[in-house]
């Protein structure tokens, strides 16, 4: 962030050499380890945990985690690069990388004490353990304050009962940060955050969702039946869970915005390549104004989305308020992702509607970006609240 001569604030998003290296590393990894298997994983709804183990070896499952805990110690600009490059090839893998880094690992990094960080972060940062994060329930999506999952203190343990829905890595995850009600329903200070490790009696996985898109990213229920967890697993103080979750989601919105950007770029690049190669009436279809204008709109919206994302990432790196900016980035980028994927299918024509070409998957994957971690409508509420507050 730069201060201009007239005292106003501007932004500089020059790309560092480190970022260029990260982009190349992730791109090469994705081409070798992800692209050949994308449709097989999608069809089978297979969660390729071995890929995440390899990503962990490269430091990409602990992008934001300091090196003392086994992470890469990078900032949010590098984190955006990682998500974008993965999502350009497969949105499912990008979603899982984002959820692991920003939600579970990010929550522990931001709010755990030193003992807790030392216990969990090294395993998460290296992907020895896969992380999950539980806020949403069947009847309390956006209305999280009325969650039904409870935690009652019994001696030195919390007893958790309830269920969480739509949880990324809800079955495979080795550890989960779970928001539970420790006070009155509807009270923002009545929710706490507790870490639950897989294998704890009473903690199990429920239904796996059969999804339209993002099918290789595991989404399941997490069920708690008199699940006893040491009180030392509480993150922060009792009643701080909702406040913590909202701050985690601020960063998470940058993740989903980056995921959206990657999908949009993947669809756009595929559309450009096809438009140059596909001939009709004796010339490439890219020569026709109807097609070229679609590509122009896609390129412009992608550029605008990236600028919003880079701005939010810059503020996040500087520990400055960025609730409005991250919501704007998530809202705009996710809608752009859907529009770009839709136009890509249109440019491919009938081929775009088949699984032999990549854009139908971008089309299916893109829609979740307008729903996950706060719908577009919720982002508008957040943005409006911030604007009116100013």
């Amino acid at each position: 962030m730069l201060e201009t001569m007239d005292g106003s604030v501007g932004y500089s998003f020059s790309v560092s050499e480190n970022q260029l290296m990260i982009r190349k590393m992730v791109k090469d990894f994705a081409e070798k380890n992800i692209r050949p298997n994308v449709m097989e994983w999608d069809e089978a709804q297979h969660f390729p945990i071995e890929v995440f183990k390899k990503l962990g070896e490269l430091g990409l499952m602990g992008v934001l985690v300091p090196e003392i805990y086994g992470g890469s110690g990078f900032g949010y600009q590098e984190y955006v690069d990682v998500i974008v490059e993965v999502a350009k090839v497969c949105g499912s893998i990008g979603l899982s990388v984002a959820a692991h880094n920003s939600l579970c690992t990010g929550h522990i990094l931001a709010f755990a004490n030193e003992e807790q960080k030392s216990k969990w972060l090294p395993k998460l940062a290296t992907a020895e353990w896969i992380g999950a994060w539980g806020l949403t329930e069947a009847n309390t999506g956006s209305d999280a304050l009325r969650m039904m999952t409870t935690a009652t203190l019994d001696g030195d343990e919390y007893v958790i009962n309830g269920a969480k829905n739509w949880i990324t890595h809800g079955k495979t995850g080795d550890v989960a940060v779970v928001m539970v009600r420790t006070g009155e329903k509807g009270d923002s200070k009545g929710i706490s955050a507790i870490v639950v490790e897989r294998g704890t009696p009473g903690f199990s996985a429920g239904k796996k969702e059969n999804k339209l898109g993002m099918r290789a990213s595991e989404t399941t229920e997490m069920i708690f039946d008199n699940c006893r967890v040491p009180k030392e697993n509480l993150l922060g103080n009792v009643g701080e869970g909702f406040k913590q979750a909202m701050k985690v989601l601020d960063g998470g919105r940058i993740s989903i915005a980056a995921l959206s950007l990657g999908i949009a770029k993947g669809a756009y690049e595929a559309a450009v390549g096809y438009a140059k190669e596909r001939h009709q009436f004796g010339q490439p279809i890219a020569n026709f104004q109807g097609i070229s204008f679609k590509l122009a709109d896609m390129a412009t919206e992608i550029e605008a989305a990236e600028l919003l994302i880079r701005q939010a990432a810059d503020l996040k790196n500087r520990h400055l308020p960025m609730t409005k900016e991250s919501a704007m980035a998530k809202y705009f980028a996710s809608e752009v992702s859907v529009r770009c994927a839709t136009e890509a299918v249109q440019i491919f024509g009938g081929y775009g509607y088949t699984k032999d070409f990549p854009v139908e998957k971008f089309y299916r994957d893109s829609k979740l970006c307008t729903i996950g971690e706060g719908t577009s409508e919720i982002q508008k509420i957040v943005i409006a609240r911030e604007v009116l507050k100013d």
Side-chain angles (χ1 to χ4, degrees), residues 85-364:
E85 290 300 326
V86 172
K88 281 167 66 175
V89 176
C90 181
S92 295
I93 307 304
L95 174 61
S96 280
V97 172
H100 175 94
N101 272 281
S102 74
L103 296 181
C104 179
T105 306
H107 197 139
I108 292 171
L109 179 62
F111 297 106
N113 58 40
E114 191 58 39
E115 183 179 349
Q116 292 170 329
K117 288 179 181 179
S118 298
K119 180 179 181 181
W120 291 308
L121 287 180
K123 293 181 178 180
L124 287 165
T126 58
E128 178 184 345
W129 280 11
I130 301 296
W133 193 76
L135 175 65
T136 303
E137 296 182 5
N139 296 310
T140 59
S142 301
D143 189 15
L145 287 178
R146 287 170 176 77
M147 66 175 59
M148 300 297 292
T149 300
T150 60
T152 305
L153 189 61
D154 181 20
D156 292 332
E157 296 176 318
Y158 278 103
V159 183
I160 305 176
N161 283 285
K164 296 293 179 178
N165 291 62
W166 304 105
I167 307 304
T168 304
H169 313 146
K171 178 181 180 180
T172 300
D174 300 282
V175 62
V177 177
V178 185
M179 266 50 68
V180 294
R181 188 157 55 81
T182 50
E184 294 300 316
K185 189 185 297 185
D187 182 3
S188 63
K189 295 182 179 179
I191 293 172
S192 303
I194 297 177
V195 176
V196 186
E197 295 182 11
R198 185 69 60 187
T200 303
F203 177 29
S204 62
K207 176 188 175 185
K208 180 177 179 178
E209 303 298 340
N210 187 8
K211 299 175 295 184
L212 169 72
M214 303 290 194
R215 290 168 60 83
S217 178
E218 177 186 278
T219 306
T220 69
E221 290 179 311
M222 292 194 304
I223 298 171
F224 303 92
D225 182 10
N226 290 319
C227 177
R228 289 183 168 268
V229 179
K231 67 179 182 180
E232 289 79 16
N233 286 22
L234 177 74
L235 295 178
N237 298 315
V238 173
E240 292 180 347
F242 184 75
K243 183 179 179 181
Q244 292 176 8
M246 293 305 101
K247 289 185 177 179
V248 169
L249 285 175
D250 275 350
R253 287 172 184 138
I254 297 176
S255 297
I256 301 301
L259 176 67
S260 304
L261 180 63
I263 292 171
K265 284 188 174 185
Y268 167 74
E269 291 175 6
V272 169
Y274 184 80
K276 289 179 177 179
E277 295 171 2
R278 171 72 166 170
H279 281 65
Q280 291 286 275
F281 306 101
Q283 59 184 308
I285 63 172
N287 290 353
F288 300 122
Q289 193 176 75
I291 300 298
S292 65
F293 277 14
K294 288 181 185 296
L295 296 173
D297 286 339
M298 292 163 75
T300 302
E301 291 198 327
I302 285 171
E303 193 79 11
E306 180 151 19
L307 287 170
L308 283 171
I309 294 166
R310 296 297 178 182
Q311 172 181 270
D314 184 73
L315 292 170
K316 181 69 174 176
N317 277 343
R318 296 170 183 274
H319 307 289
L320 295 173
M322 36 68 78
T323 298
K324 178 181 70 176
E325 288 78 7
S326 66
M328 284 179 168
K330 196 272 186 188
Y331 165 54
F332 186 75
S334 64
E335 296 292 341
V336 164
S337 183
V338 172
R339 287 196 292 270
C340 284
T342 301
E343 291 290 42
V345 171
Q346 195 71 15
I347 289 169
F348 270 76
Y351 292 113
Y353 205 64
T354 72
K355 294 183 182 293
D356 295 327
F357 291 82
V359 292
E360 71 85 29
K361 183 176 183 298
F362 288 125
Y363 182 73
R364 289 185 289 110

Side-chain angles (χ1 to χ4, degrees), residues 22 26 60 63 77-87 97:
I22 291 170
V26 179
L60 301 178
V63 180
Q77 301 293 4
E78 291 86 355
Y79 177 51
V80 167
D81 290 328
V82 171
I83 301 300
V84 168
E85 290 300 326
V86 172
V97 172

Side-chain angles (χ1 to χ4, degrees), residues 47-67:
F47 179 64
I49 193 167
E50 67 281 357
V51 169
F52 299 98
K53 299 294 185 180
K54 291 178 181 177
L55 285 166
E57 292 173 6
L58 294 175
L60 301 178
M61 297 295 276
V63 180
L64 302 166
V65 177
E67 292 180 41

